[in-house]
Amino acid sequence: MRRNWLILSLTVFGFAFLYGPILSLIIFSFNDNRLVTVWSGFSTRWYAELFADTQILDAAWLSFWIAVASASIALVLGTLCSVALVRFRRFRGRTALAGMASAPLVMPDVITGLSLLLLFVSMESLIGWPAGRGVGTIIIAHTTFCIAYITVVVRSRLSDLDLSLEEAAMDLGATPVRVFFDITLPIISPALVSGWLLAFTLSLDDLVIASFVSGPGSSTLPMVIYSKIRLGVSPDVNALATIIIAIVTVGVLAATLLQMRRSARKSS
Amino acid sequence: MSQSETPLRTRWYTKLFGPGAASGRALVIFAPVAWLTVFFVVPLAVVFGISLAIKEFGRPPYSDLLTVGEGGTVQLTLHLSNYLRIITDPLYVTAYLSSIRIAAISTIVALLIGYPMAYFIARARDPWRNVLLMLVILPFWTSFLLRVYALSGFMRGNGVINGLLGIFGIEPIQMMQTDFAVYVGIVYTYLPFMVLPLFTTLVKLDVSLLEASADLGAKPWQTFWSITLPLSLPGIAAGSMLVFIPAIGEFVIPSLLGGPSTLMIGRVLWDEFFSNTNWPRASAVAVAMLLIVVVPIMLMQRAQDAVVEGRTR
């Protein structure tokens, strides 16, 4: 029984390690004192300051739309990529596509960012496009790594899928395109949703790649946060973090409850 | 699925995408291939090309590889000076080696913390298992940058840990801007990546094997050592790769938590590019960095392919 106590205490330590810093950040976001670690009374002034800070709000809005655009373009391309990899068993370049679709997952951010920037600069001097860098180049860069993540999620769902449903629809005379939209797509839609959300989150979170490929006037939220943190303590970042954590917690809780209810219904 | 069944099973795809209607199939393949070629493969080639140039003042700030001389002669100029510098300058060699060291130590620590967590969650009863699993995944969905920031508030000179130590009358410890902070930062941010693959292998572990081992008189640690640990090796490998590979190229953690003496290759590349505007040197550093990550990447790819292919058969 001693072993169980050991595992239990190590697990408790692990969770304390994961959540300690986050909890202290949330608590101190309600601290009246500018010194982040000296408690001097409850206050919501940092939230007020956050909502008056147009730089942060503009950056958040920009990041949101970049994430929506990148995740959506990547969803289409990643789904096509998964269909090609799972359904077309043999074609020339299949290994190359599989490699291209998974290598961005493990490519260090600094290399992805640098290589895309150098590409954009070379293209601009060769063909004049893209003229300068900004939102467009960030969306291209984010789409590229999001394709890889979406492909992982959708590909594994698609390869679990029972082919007989699609075949039955074919036998009943549906065209392949119709089968894809009426049968395949609805069945893999949970994977599409989670793939899109994953891509959205990763795009929203990216600092390094965006720093390389952004231009003047297109600072994303992580870029603004990073420069604020570098300058020193800023309590309004605590307030922002608390808001983000609250949104994510509600979302993940809802998703988990939904999933638990669905699996409970299945087993009953 | 046997070979002879394949044509039947993929019949409807053959109708659209087979020899008779190659266009639809080609279109599905073309879009992702084109995108990934232009925005992933070509950029890496560009990096390699520019690593053979030298820094010059102008826009863009590097020398041309191809120059057209008088009478239309094309001249190719390649410089190996960046690579020579990387090999001979101790700055780069040290950064290279300490990246590997920091990533390796952090991976081992993450494994030591993550394994008991994954084991506990895998053995937990049903509602609890889902709750604990959610608690592991939750930080992953929140911002990476903000978690590093939260950690820095925790370890600061007047932070929570030193505050707690002060209660027991212990002098504050300098944690921020040390290599120690970088280890903690990597373990902290990448722990979910370690726990999840470990959980996936441990939850599939056949409990009857453990019971059999215990019935035959093995002590718990013997059972763990000779059954649980070997069977969870795929999870250990996957989790370690998922921590080790991104940790090598990490920029945010060493720059926010580490001190000026914390050299990591990702940070060197960043400074070379942004502070020194030496794009060719930064490119050479990127090529050198690829060499360390390319072997683990290929191993990962093969493992992933094996999993996906295995399931479809």
Side-chain angles (χ1 to χ4, degrees), chain A residues 3 7 33 44 68 97 146 200 226 257 263:
Chain A
R3 269 177 48 81
I7 292 170
N33 203 308
T44 52
V68 168
L97 180 61
C146 288
F200 176 83
Y226 180 74
L257 284 177
S263 60

Side-chain angles (χ1 to χ4, degrees), chain B residues 38-56:
Chain B
V38 174
F39 296 119
F40 184 71
V41 180
V42 173
L44 291 179
V46 173
V47 166
F48 185 68
I50 291 176
S51 75
L52 296 168
I54 49 170
K55 178 180 174 177
E56 255 176 20

Side-chain angles (χ1 to χ4, degrees), chain B residues 12-227:
Chain B
W12 70 265
Y13 281 95
T14 328
K15 262 191 205 163
L16 178 66
F17 307 115
S23 58
R25 178 180 160 131
L27 213 67
V28 171
I29 300 172
F30 176 77
V33 168
W35 184 286
L36 290 169
T37 305
V38 174
F39 296 119
F40 184 71
V41 180
V42 173
L44 291 179
V46 173
V47 166
F48 185 68
I50 291 176
S51 75
L52 296 168
I54 49 170
K55 178 180 174 177
E56 255 176 20
F57 290 100
R59 291 189 65 173
Y62 49 83
S63 64
D64 289 326
L65 294 181
L66 289 173
T67 42
V68 184
E70 281 172 54
T73 50
V74 179
Q75 198 182 355
L76 178 70
T77 321
L78 302 178
H79 300 266
L80 286 173
S81 55
N82 293 310
Y83 290 101
L84 269 176
R85 187 67 186 275
I86 287 177
I87 299 167
T88 51
D89 191 330
L91 169 82
Y92 301 102
V93 180
T94 316
Y96 210 89
L97 293 177
S98 73
S99 294
I100 297 177
R101 187 195 74 227
I102 289 174
I105 294 177
S106 312
T107 306
I108 293 167
V109 175
L111 180 64
L112 292 177
I113 299 178
Y115 202 99
M117 289 176 79
Y119 189 90
F120 185 84
I121 299 171
R123 293 283 161 273
R125 289 211 189 93
D126 216 3
W128 277 106
R129 182 191 285 175
N130 280 325
V131 170
L132 291 175
L133 208 54
M134 189 203 77
L135 284 176
V136 169
I137 298 170
L138 188 61
F140 165 79
W141 290 97
T142 62
S143 164
F144 171 84
L145 186 60
L146 289 175
R147 275 187 297 146
V148 175
Y149 171 67
L151 196 62
S152 78
F154 214 58
M155 295 197 293
R156 207 177 290 280
N158 54 359
V160 175
I161 291 183
N162 277 324
L164 288 176
L165 289 178
I167 297 174
F168 299 104
I170 302 169
E171 289 289 304
I173 306 168
Q174 162 80 31
M175 282 177 287
M176 285 294 287
Q177 297 183 345
T178 61
D179 283 5
F180 172 77
V182 177
Y183 294 131
V184 175
I186 294 175
V187 174
Y188 180 66
T189 45
Y190 291 109
L191 194 57
F193 292 98
M194 180 61 91
V195 174
L196 290 178
L198 283 173
F199 167 79
T200 319
T201 49
L202 285 172
V203 83
K204 278 189 253 166
L205 196 83
D206 193 348
V207 183
S208 60
L209 288 175
L210 306 180
E211 284 164 359
S213 166
D215 288 347
L216 293 171
K219 293 199 176 69
W221 64 266
Q222 285 175 319
T223 306
F224 175 77
W225 194 251
S226 53
I227 296 180

